[in-house]
Amino acid sequence: MITDTDAGIDVAAAGSGGLRANAVGAAGIVFFVVAAASPLSAALGGSPAAVGAGNGAGAPGAYLAVGVMLLLFSVGYAAMSRYVTVGGGFAAYIQEALGTRMGRGAAYLATVSYVAMQVGLYGIFGFFAHVVFGRQLGVDLSWSVWAFIAMVLVGVLAYVEIDLSAKVLGVLMICEVVVLLVVDFAIVGKGGAQGVTFTSFSPATVTGGALGIALMFASASFIGFEATAIYSEEARDPDRTIPRATYASVLLITVFLVFTVWSFVIGHGADKVQGAARQSPDAFVFTLSSRYVGPVWTDVMQYLLITSFFAALLAFHNTIARYLLNLSRRGWGPSLLARTHPKYQSPHVAGVVQSVVGAVIVGIFVVAKLDPYTALFSWTVGLGTLGVIVLQALTCLAIITFFRRRRTGLSVWRTLIAPGLGGAGLVAAIVLALKNWGVLVGAGTGFSGYLPWIVPAVILIGVLLPVSAGRNSATSNPANSLTAADRG
């Protein structure tokens, strides 16, 4: 098994007392992952684009296809988690199989991608808070004020013990799932607009229209399940907890989104759903809620949409703070970032730095008077989505490489076939994202058109920078990372 010591990471030398061990179980990790995926905001924000600009009534089939692809990815990911227990998520896997330089490039890309995702979420949180609280409560504050309020609350919650964040995320996630399931079951129970049908899953319907765009937006709805490995140091019984949390997270997100988007198709009618999504994407789901449940439920849904964004912000903040901590432990960032709080054992310094970076970026958009939705949210979330998909594809390559070099006794299905199929699907998703970049970010020209180049540039920086001999030497020979039992 590859531990912090095996990977050449000296926690004490890094100035860290370590994260709190045995702090979170499988359920808590699932809360972090599903909250980052933000089911309510994914359903309300992503499904209208997948349906309207994508393959219409076949969108549920696209979500199912992405879920199956990520389950295939998870087979190898969970198998390798038994041998890589250091924190660092995708980057730790890539470092162990493809070398220190690629691992560092992946770690830099992961950090940039998740920071981009979180900053974008501050924009959309502020946008909806301004609209909903202004209309419902008469509290007229600008989107930027709401964004900075959320930033402070997230920073405080992430500063203290991780189990508090897990509890907050658990409550918020359950609320947002329940509010959507009520609408889903109401639509199905009342037979929708034209009766309950399964045409959304027929090959002809799924492949009709712009399937590539639907797959692209569906992929964005699954971002965040890497967090299962990020919390390995704090997990109870990580050998079992991480694989279970990985499978549970992907399955829950898949089943929930497929069922929810399918109910939306039934609610509007298969022949009318694409037109409804194109005509009024902002009211695509709220219309169904008012029609099949009632206006009061729609008001509740609007408030929970805001808390859904907040839950995603908190989940991403915790993920990024741990990425920064692990970068520092490996000597790839300032040693100060590796410090943990003496009482809470949280990565408090990394969290504070992250909040400052987020505040600066949001402040730039405010000063430039750029729109929080069409610019801040669309551009940064598009960049983050592309970066994470690239990381997932590299991780598939790392998993296959790792197991080709080692005799572990695991099946070919877990070590080659499943990650190979998942990797092929992820490469296709990258191609689709680049091909439809203008649709993903809402603009294909100007500054936003150059954003995809940040992905290879960040990886290249990590690869080309010199590697110090100290803490990273153990990873230069992957065989040194295994115990005698691991080598068989």
Side-chain angles (χ1 to χ4, degrees), residues 66-118:
V66 172
V68 170
M69 176 185 69
L70 292 179
L71 280 172
L72 290 171
F73 168 88
S74 299
V75 171
Y77 191 60
M80 192 169 170
S81 70
R82 295 172 53 189
Y83 302 92
V84 181
T85 62
V86 295
F90 294 144
Y93 289 58
I94 293 168
Q95 178 187 1
E96 184 56 34
L98 304 180
T100 297
R101 291 180 180 273
M102 276 301 300
R104 183 174 56 188
Y108 288 171
L109 178 59
T111 304
V112 170
S113 298
Y114 282 117
V115 167
M117 295 286 289
Q118 188 187 33

Side-chain angles (χ1 to χ4, degrees), residues 32-355:
F32 278 103
V33 173
V34 178
S38 189
L40 185 59
S41 58
L44 270 64
S47 66
V51 173
N55 59 343
Y63 279 86
L64 180 60
V66 172
V68 170
M69 176 185 69
L70 292 179
L71 280 172
L72 290 171
F73 168 88
S74 299
V75 171
Y77 191 60
M80 192 169 170
S81 70
R82 295 172 53 189
Y83 302 92
V84 181
T85 62
V86 295
F90 294 144
Y93 289 58
I94 293 168
Q95 178 187 1
E96 184 56 34
L98 304 180
T100 297
R101 291 180 180 273
M102 276 301 300
R104 183 174 56 188
Y108 288 171
L109 178 59
T111 304
V112 170
S113 298
Y114 282 117
V115 167
M117 295 286 289
Q118 188 187 33
V119 169
L121 286 170
Y122 278 123
I124 199 169
F125 174 90
F127 174 83
F128 276 102
H130 168 72
V131 173
V132 174
F133 291 141
R135 183 172 59 235
Q136 303 285 5
L137 303 178
V139 180
D140 189 17
L141 297 176
S142 70
W143 73 267
S144 58
V145 173
W146 287 115
F148 287 120
I149 290 174
M151 205 173 293
V152 172
L153 292 175
V154 165
V156 170
L157 284 172
Y159 192 91
V160 298
E161 296 175 353
I162 188 174
D163 55 350
L164 177 59
S165 291
K167 290 173 183 176
V168 171
L169 288 174
V171 171
L172 295 179
M173 188 194 74
I174 290 171
C175 289
E176 63 179 284
V177 168
V178 168
V179 76
L180 262 179
L181 286 178
V182 168
V183 177
D184 297 344
F185 282 111
I187 293 172
V188 175
K190 295 179 180 180
Q194 301 168 336
V196 177
T197 66
F198 295 91
T199 56
S200 291
F201 304 101
S202 68
T205 306
V206 174
T207 57
L211 174 60
I213 293 177
L215 289 171
M216 181 181 61
F217 280 101
S219 297
S221 300
F222 287 80
I223 297 298
F225 77 91
E226 175 194 4
T228 54
I230 289 290
Y231 297 99
S232 59
E233 184 179 337
E234 298 158 283
R236 292 190 288 271
D237 190 10
D239 287 353
R240 295 184 178 183
T241 298
I242 301 305
R244 289 176 180 175
T246 300
Y247 286 125
S249 299
V250 177
L251 280 170
L252 283 172
I253 297 171
T254 300
V255 172
F256 179 78
L257 289 177
V258 170
F259 178 69
T260 296
V261 179
W262 173 64
S263 73
F264 294 167
V265 173
I266 294 174
H268 284 287
D271 59 343
K272 297 180 180 178
V273 66
Q274 190 165 35
R278 287 176 174 173
Q279 184 176 1
S280 301
D282 55 334
F284 179 70
V285 180
F286 293 139
T287 298
L288 295 174
S289 174
S290 298
R291 182 188 306 166
Y292 291 96
V293 183
V296 174
W297 199 253
T298 302
D299 292 338
V300 172
M301 184 178 289
Q302 290 178 351
Y303 286 118
L304 287 177
L305 176 61
I306 296 173
T307 62
S308 174
F309 288 130
F310 181 82
L313 284 167
L314 180 57
F316 275 118
H317 187 99
N318 279 282
T319 298
I320 298 165
R322 282 151 183 81
Y323 251 119
L324 291 174
L325 178 142
N326 279 286
L327 279 173
S328 180
R329 283 181 174 179
R330 287 169 167 79
W332 300 341
S335 60
L336 184 65
L337 296 177
R339 296 188 179 277
T340 55
H341 195 278
K343 177 182 178 181
Y344 302 123
Q345 293 180 274
S346 61
H348 64 302
V349 176
V352 171
V353 169
Q354 176 192 341
S355 295

